[in-house]
Amino acid sequence: MLNKILKKINAHLALRKKKSSLKRKILEEDISYSEEAKNIINSISKSKSLYKELITKVHPDIFADVDDKQKATELSSSITENKHNYNELSKLKKEVHSFLKSKE
Amino acid sequence: MPIKIWENLKILLNRVVDIITQGSLERIKLISAFNRIFEEAYVNQEFEHLCTVTTSRGVAINRHPMSDNFRSGFKVTIKSEQYLYKTDFSQIAKFFVNNKGFVKRLMVVGYDTLTILSTTSPGGLQIPLKDIASLNDYMLD
């Protein structure tokens, strides 16, 4: 009986430890809550126009070369995936610009 | 005036409960940051609605391994004079749920339900966070 109780307590403590280490790991990420909130506001007000700007620039049909088409397809799908996330779209904007610059 | 006092008392009690149940100030920091940024955005006319964020009761079926036992809802209240339709709520919800990193952070501080409500319109949305992001990679189950 006592063994069973001790086992349960041990299991509970192990789970608790796991939970707190997970919590620390996720909360240690570099972005602050204020930045998260700003990202949501920017996403609401600015992501639609940024999405449109980027998606037209890297439409795969614009490119004739197979490799370029492939890269454009990858970029387009990332842009669509992050359609409502301004921070991610801003990162992709840099990638799009460097891709287009390499074509000049 | 009595309404204002009651509102402030409710906020204070909410904070105390958040600290006790979580054993940390994480929720307080999160809610304060969001309320400050939302207010600034409304004042600077970056967003047409004033939103406030609070902790609320969650929904039992949305529980996940990191859920808080008592108060596990992350509630966004839109203080708008306009009537909001279900599509408006989902439109706003998209910007919260498309950020998986943020959803994971909500989950580790004990939230399991994202609730979006309006002060003037009935309805609203309740979204289970476990359907958006998963903590399974960390093998907590």
Side-chain angles (χ1 to χ4, degrees):
Chain A
M1 179 70 177
L2 188 67
N3 252 351
K4 265 188 183 176
I5 294 171
L6 283 175
K7 256 187 189 172
K8 275 197 173 173
I9 292 172
N10 272 340
H12 176 76
L13 289 176
L15 183 65
R16 222 176 125 162
K17 203 174 165 188
K18 227 176 182 181
K19 280 184 186 180
S20 59
S21 77
L22 166 63
K23 195 173 174 178
R24 236 176 296 128
K25 196 175 173 187
I26 292 182
L27 294 178
E28 264 170 11
E29 282 168 20
D30 246 4
I31 189 157
S32 71
Y33 293 129
S34 304
E35 283 169 47
E36 298 268 22
K38 267 183 198 155
N39 182 33
I40 287 171
I41 291 294
N42 283 336
S43 301
I44 292 171
S45 56
K46 299 175 190 166
S47 67
K48 199 175 175 181
S49 57
L50 185 54
Y51 167 75
K52 276 187 185 167
E53 180 197 322
L54 297 181
I55 205 76
T56 47
K57 278 183 181 168
V58 290
H59 196 288
D61 291 349
I62 303 172
F63 305 93
D65 184 76
V66 181
D67 288 343
D68 291 345
K69 222 182 227 317
Q70 171 73 20
K71 178 74 181 160
T73 311
E74 281 169 21
L75 281 171
S76 299
S77 63
S78 306
I79 292 165
T80 308
E81 209 175 293
N82 293 294
K83 198 176 176 178
H84 299 105
N85 190 333
Y86 184 78
N87 277 359
E88 292 304 315
L89 284 178
S90 303
K91 283 179 201 164
L92 284 164
K93 188 179 180 176
K94 284 176 195 161
E95 223 176 296
V96 168
H97 279 177
S98 61
F99 169 62
L100 293 176
K101 215 169 186 181
S102 70
K103 301 286 104 223
E104 286 170 6
Chain B
M1 188 67 176
I3 297 172
K4 185 103 181 144
I5 294 171
W6 174 237
E7 282 296 313
N8 287 339
L9 195 65
K10 250 169 65 179
I11 292 171
L12 181 70
L13 281 174
N14 242 328
R15 287 182 173 194
V16 172
V17 173
D18 277 343
I19 294 171
I20 294 169
T21 56
Q22 281 296 301
S24 73
L25 292 170
E26 281 307 321
R27 279 188 175 187
I28 309 291
K29 283 187 214 164
L30 188 150
I31 286 171
S32 307
F34 267 77
N35 283 333
R36 184 172 46 80
I37 298 293
F38 281 158
E39 197 180 336
E40 278 173 18
Y42 179 70
V43 171
N44 299 333
Q45 296 177 336
E46 287 171 55
F47 188 44
E48 55 183 322
H49 308 298
L50 173 64
C51 294
T52 53
V53 172
T54 45
T55 298
S56 66
R57 276 178 66 186
V59 179
I61 51 165
N62 296 341
R63 289 183 63 80
H64 57 76
M66 299 284 286
S67 279
D68 192 283
N69 289 328
F70 308 104
R71 299 179 61 76
S72 57
F74 184 76
K75 185 168 87 176
V76 181
T77 309
I78 304 163
K79 294 182 173 172
S80 168
E81 285 162 16
Q82 280 170 251
Y83 186 90
L84 298 176
Y85 295 94
K86 191 145 190 162
T87 47
D88 297 318
F89 287 116
S90 1
Q91 201 63 39
I92 293 169
K94 267 183 204 165
F95 297 101
F96 285 88
V97 301
N98 273 300
N99 190 340
K100 281 191 181 173
F102 171 63
V103 172
K104 271 186 187 165
R105 293 181 101 190
L106 284 184
M107 288 170 85
V108 295
V109 292
Y111 292 116
D112 56 26
T113 310
L114 170 69
T115 307
I116 301 187
L117 294 173
S118 159
T119 44
T120 49
S121 319
L125 279 182
Q126 280 195 322
I127 303 165
L129 297 180
K130 64 179 177 187
D131 289 355
I132 304 159
S134 169
L135 296 175
N136 284 349
D137 306 344
Y138 305 92
M139 292 185 294
L140 266 171
D141 286 320

